[in-house]
Amino acid sequence: MSVTATPAQLAAVREARASYRSGVSVPTSGVAHGLAQANLIAVPQDWAYETLLFAQRNPKPCPILDVLEAGQVESTLAPGSDIRTDIGKYRIWRDGELVDEPSDASAAWQEHPDLVSFLIGCSFTFEAGLVDAGITMRHQELGRNVSMYRTNRECAPAGRLHGAMVVSMRPIPADRVADAVQISGRTPAVHGAPVHIGDPGGLGIADLSEPDFGDAPEVRDGEVPVFWACGVTPQSAIMASRPPFAVTHAPGHMFLTDIPDAHYVQ
């Protein structure tokens, strides 16, 4: 669907990116309502082909929205943006170990000027459709980050890259689960429909109260845990595959684009 952002949406998203560039660091769920958000993974050029292949082989958790060539820092999804500064919190990885979480990743590009960056679809994008349909996002309601978990589902490997799929979980009232499936299913470019509904044990998740990323959830009576494939999956692959260097967003701190959510609706 060909759509463009309104002047008000563009003003809001550019103000948000400017705030992150100045050092503000907050989760982005619900920010710039109606505009798509994206996960980031940047790797040295030597690892770029395998990262691209990993994403292509695992399109559910890793749907690619944009690829920035070696050294490029401006995304076509947000003219005037800078991938090094316009995310509220980054993660720096060395040999698969998390070594820093800066609010400005410019030093990473100085150290590795050949970084190739991948922007991957984010479930925060389809949240807008759920909210517009009257389905409350509990993490937004409570001012928390969404809950994310590593699963027992292994992704298809690509060369040196391998790892388990990560999922995000949202508690949904039982009588709205079908609606949530239908609404999110319209946006396969940002993970689409859930990969699992109900018992977390089916994904190898032992305790919902202890997510691997994000904040602990609050599941109330009459609600069902619903799990969507998550763009944090590349970070799981980094931990498992141990590339010498990588940069990602911190979970929940996304890159905000100028592209309306409706662009990705099928």
Side-chain angles (χ1 to χ4, degrees):
M1 181 183 296
S2 179
V3 290
T4 57
T6 67
Q9 286 177 317
L10 289 176
V13 75
R14 290 168 183 170
E15 181 180 358
R17 285 199 300 265
S19 72
Y20 305 143
R21 194 179 303 163
S22 69
V24 172
S25 180
V26 294
T28 55
S29 177
V31 176
H33 185 86
L35 296 182
Q37 303 193 22
N39 303 269
L40 166 70
I41 177 171
V43 295
Q45 194 167 20
D46 176 53
W47 282 74
Y49 175 72
E50 285 155 295
T51 303
L52 177 63
L53 193 59
F54 183 85
Q56 289 180 327
R57 289 178 176 173
N58 300 281
K60 191 73 171 176
C62 303
I64 293 177
L65 303 185
D66 194 16
V67 181
L68 284 65
E69 297 181 27
Q72 183 181 348
V73 297
E74 179 183 2
S75 171
T76 59
L77 303 179
S81 63
D82 190 325
I83 202 69
R84 303 168 296 182
T85 60
D86 291 0
I87 294 174
K89 185 187 291 187
Y90 297 83
R91 284 185 153 190
I92 309 299
W93 304 83
R94 296 185 188 276
D95 298 317
E97 300 291 334
L98 177 62
V99 297
D100 196 10
E101 288 191 302
S103 59
D104 185 323
S106 298
W109 269 260
Q110 293 172 357
E111 180 181 348
H112 291 275
D114 68 334
L115 287 175
V116 176
S117 302
F118 298 84
L119 291 174
I120 292 171
C122 174
S123 59
F124 287 174
T125 302
F126 67 63
E127 284 184 345
L130 299 179
V131 170
D132 288 344
I135 302 174
T136 299
M137 296 291 95
R138 182 65 38 71
H139 54 286
Q140 292 182 12
E141 179 185 27
L142 298 177
R144 298 177 183 174
N145 200 352
V146 71
S147 307
M148 293 161 274
Y149 307 83
R150 281 196 294 268
T151 72
N152 57 7
R153 297 189 184 182
E154 287 295 317
C155 293
R160 293 167 287 181
L161 273 180
H162 60 92
M165 182 173 66
V166 174
V167 294
S168 59
M169 191 283 294
R170 295 161 183 79
I172 304 293
D175 63 350
R176 298 304 308 275
V177 169
D179 295 329
V181 171
Q182 183 181 43
I183 292 167
S184 60
R186 297 171 186 156
T187 54
V190 291
H191 305 305
V195 297
H196 185 74
I197 297 170
D199 179 17
L203 292 173
I205 299 169
D207 188 347
L208 278 182
S209 68
E210 296 186 1
D212 295 292
F213 311 94
D215 295 327
E218 181 180 301
V219 182
R220 299 174 183 170
D221 289 344
E223 294 179 333
V224 177
V226 180
F227 302 86
W228 281 266
C230 180
V232 175
T233 295
Q235 298 187 35
S236 173
I238 288 170
M239 289 184 277
S241 309
R242 306 181 69 83
F245 190 80
V247 182
T248 68
H249 68 292
H253 297 256
M254 316 309 298
F255 179 74
L256 305 181
T257 80
D258 293 357
I259 308 300
D261 298 338
H263 177 78
Y264 297 109
V265 173
Q266 294 186 356

